[in-house]
Amino acid sequence: MNIVIMGPPGAGKGTQAEFIKNKYQIPHISTGDMFREAVKKGTPMGKEAQKYMNEGKLVPDQVTIGIVEDRLAEADCQAGFLLDGFPRTIVQAQALDGVMEKLGRKIDAVINITVPDNILIQRMSGRVSCKECGKVYHLVFSPPAVEGKCDECSAELIQRSDDNAETAAKRLQVYNEQTSPLLDYYQDKGLLRNVDGDRDPKLVGSDIAASLDKA
Ligand code: AP5
Ligand code: MG
Ligand code: ZN
């Protein structure tokens, strides 16, 4: 399965991606995670990306498309992949179509997780994640067993630097302006599957699985 998961910031793409990658045994490719990793390592690409991420803006298309193209050419993507947070612009979507054509493959489904704006803000403001393994928690909706420590590896939990109120609001605006037009793009191709994300994560996950089984 070649799957794209879409939705506004905080919709639960990363959370649902965990379920999907385990069910279909495909790699989870999150451009946001790739950029955060590059920032952590201090690579030139990370330094470039960080400027945009801190302001809630999109990293330029040519940088983003390049890293995704390279990643999709890796061996573990042969059996399929789950793209999270890419594409985010029409230019990126067209580039992805080109890459798929070159590889002789196609996108099977685009999952769109819908959540009202006020809930998105709550989700972003309460999100923390493990410094070491990346596991994601929410201080109210899915807190760790021990405050400030990861359930899996006991490492420290940290907040993302772009989850402050000002940057979160900017990310939402950028989503509405630059990314939401992609919903029509994929609707027109007959690939879009809308899923109500304002429910228990397990219910959201079973809806996604049901819609993928039909894909
Ligand atoms: P990215 O990392 O992709 O961030 P995002 O799209 O803003 O999405 P998030 O990761 O914030 O949310 P999510 O939907 O994964 O939600 P999660 O599951 O964590 O991008 C970051 C930045 O990188 C961008 O702003 C941009 O600068 C750059 N970038 C990335 N890709 C790019 C691209 N293609 N082009 C250009 N620039 C790019 O859940 C959120 C919280 O809610 C968690 O605490 C979770 O526990 C909780 N939660 C989840 N589901 C539920 C539920 N059902 N009920 C209650 N709580 C829930
Ligand atoms: Mg995410
Ligand atoms: Zn951990």
Side-chain angles (χ1 to χ4, degrees), residues 149-189:
K149 296 248 181 290
C150 178
D151 293 352
E152 306 289 328
C153 70
S154 299
E156 186 195 349
L157 300 181
I158 51 169
Q159 195 186 27
R160 251 167 65 174
S161 58
D162 61 349
D163 273 345
N164 63 78
E166 192 190 339
T167 313
K170 178 70 185 171
R171 284 157 59 203
L172 209 47
Q173 183 199 340
V174 166
Y175 170 83
N176 287 325
E177 289 170 3
Q178 300 187 50
T179 306
S180 65
L182 285 183
L183 300 177
D184 281 343
Y185 182 88
Y186 286 120
Q187 178 76 49
D188 290 348
K189 290 179 184 283

Side-chain angles (χ1 to χ4, degrees), residues 7-17 30-33 35-36 49 52-54 56-61 64 68 84-89 92 113 115 119-120 122-124 126-128 136-139 141-142 160 162-163 171 174-175 197-202 204:
K13 301 181 293 294
T15 301
Q16 296 302 327
S30 157
T31 41
D33 287 349
F35 286 137
R36 280 184 288 279
Y52 298 94
M53 296 170 85
N54 283 345
K57 293 181 183 160
L58 296 184
V59 178
D61 284 335
T64 311
V68 172
D84 158 4
F86 183 95
R88 255 174 153 98
T89 62
Q92 291 180 14
I113 308 181
V115 175
I119 308 275
L120 293 172
Q122 280 177 26
R123 288 195 186 172
M124 285 185 269
R127 170 172 46 197
V128 287
V136 176
Y137 299 83
H138 191 282
L139 296 175
F141 307 134
S142 54
R160 251 167 65 174
D162 61 349
D163 273 345
R171 284 157 59 203
V174 166
Y175 170 83
D198 187 14
R199 293 172 302 151
D200 183 273
K202 289 205 176 64
V204 180

Side-chain angles (χ1 to χ4, degrees), residues 23 25 58 60 62 65 72 76 80 106 135 158 193 195:
K23 179 168 157 110
Q25 297 289 306
L58 296 184
Q62 68 269 29
I65 290 167
L72 291 179
D76 64 336
K106 61 178 185 51
K135 188 175 161 66
I158 51 169
R193 314 269 185 274
V195 174

Side-chain angles (χ1 to χ4, degrees), residues 63-128:
V63 177
T64 311
I65 290 167
I67 65 165
V68 172
E69 192 167 4
D70 290 349
R71 182 65 186 88
L72 291 179
E74 286 178 30
D76 64 336
C77 293
Q78 290 288 348
F81 54 80
L82 171 61
L83 273 174
D84 158 4
F86 183 95
R88 255 174 153 98
T89 62
I90 295 285
V91 172
Q92 291 180 14
Q94 289 166 341
L96 178 61
D97 288 344
V99 172
M100 290 283 97
E101 203 176 301
K102 233 177 7 191
L103 296 171
R105 299 167 64 176
K106 61 178 185 51
I107 300 294
D108 296 302
V110 176
I111 301 291
N112 176 41
I113 308 181
T114 63
V115 175
D117 284 5
N118 59 325
I119 308 275
L120 293 172
I121 297 289
Q122 280 177 26
R123 288 195 186 172
M124 285 185 269
S125 62
R127 170 172 46 197
V128 287

